[in-house]
Amino acid sequence: MIKELLVILVASSLVNNVVLSQFLGLCPFLGVSKKTETATGMGVAVIFVITLASAVAGVIYQFILVPFDIAYLQTIVFILVIAALVQFVEMFLKKFIPGLYQSLGVYLPLITTNCAVLGVALTNVQKSYGILTGVVNGFATAVGFTISIVILAGIREKLTYNDIPESFQGMPIVLVTAGLMAIAFCGFSGLL
């Protein structure tokens, strides 16, 4: 059991990185990765939301949707669970960490529509993960998201000091950098 959880942990965070190999969650990945502090804050919020959403969605799926034979409603139910959790995170940050709340701006409510969060919940169902395995998968996926967004933010901070050709300034160099990161993360596929 522990070996299986470790494989899921490594696979979901590095080998099958949600952003760099599955291309889910690109909006906050590209939008919030201008500063490492903001990227780290977004990563922590995503870790909290995805981990909790995986647990709650797993419980609802196994104990409500399947027994009542309404598993076809899983997408709608998962979206509602995610929206409620994001509202909780938003209220918490607004009350206790207003600086991070301000810096995340519009991207915080966008976690609700972040396809990575919904993708994890649906992947847990698709792969028939139990609640614990689903939570580990969700946590590892969110950690992978955080790793990739913080790395991109660090690179973007360094790019501001470089002489970049005019046609590559702004989003083009960010997309090239993200592409190179995706190629680099392909190197992790030999781990498993």
Side-chain angles (χ1 to χ4, degrees), residues 60-82:
I60 290 173
Y61 183 78
Q62 285 189 355
F63 295 112
I64 297 174
L65 298 180
V66 171
F68 289 106
D69 199 28
I70 53 172
Y72 58 89
L73 294 174
Q74 67 189 10
T75 304
I76 296 169
V77 171
F78 293 167
I79 289 172
L80 292 174
V81 166
I82 293 164

Side-chain angles (χ1 to χ4, degrees), residues 49 77-89 111-112:
V49 169
V77 171
F78 293 167
I79 289 172
L80 292 174
V81 166
I82 293 164
L85 289 172
V86 170
Q87 287 299 313
F88 173 73
V89 169
I111 295 176
T112 303

Side-chain angles (χ1 to χ4, degrees), residues 31 47 69 74 78-79 83 91-92 95 106 109 143 168 176 189:
I47 287 173
D69 199 28
Q74 67 189 10
F78 293 167
I79 289 172
M91 289 186 300
F92 177 82
K95 175 100 174 150
V106 70
V143 167
F168 279 98
V176 169
S189 62

Side-chain angles (χ1 to χ4, degrees), residues 66-156:
V66 171
F68 289 106
D69 199 28
I70 53 172
Y72 58 89
L73 294 174
Q74 67 189 10
T75 304
I76 296 169
V77 171
F78 293 167
I79 289 172
L80 292 174
V81 166
I82 293 164
L85 289 172
V86 170
Q87 287 299 313
F88 173 73
V89 169
E90 191 172 0
M91 289 186 300
F92 177 82
L93 289 179
K94 190 174 186 178
K95 175 100 174 150
F96 296 107
I97 313 173
L100 180 59
Y101 174 79
Q102 292 289 331
S103 65
L104 290 175
V106 70
Y107 293 101
L108 185 60
L110 282 179
I111 295 176
T112 303
T113 58
N114 186 339
C115 53
V117 183
L118 180 60
V120 170
L122 294 174
T123 298
N124 290 343
V125 169
Q126 181 184 14
K127 292 188 176 184
S128 301
Y129 286 158
I131 295 170
L132 175 63
T133 311
V135 169
V136 169
N137 180 49
F139 175 76
T141 301
V143 167
F145 176 86
T146 304
I147 289 169
S148 57
I149 195 171
V150 169
I151 289 173
L152 182 64
I155 293 171
R156 284 181 77 174

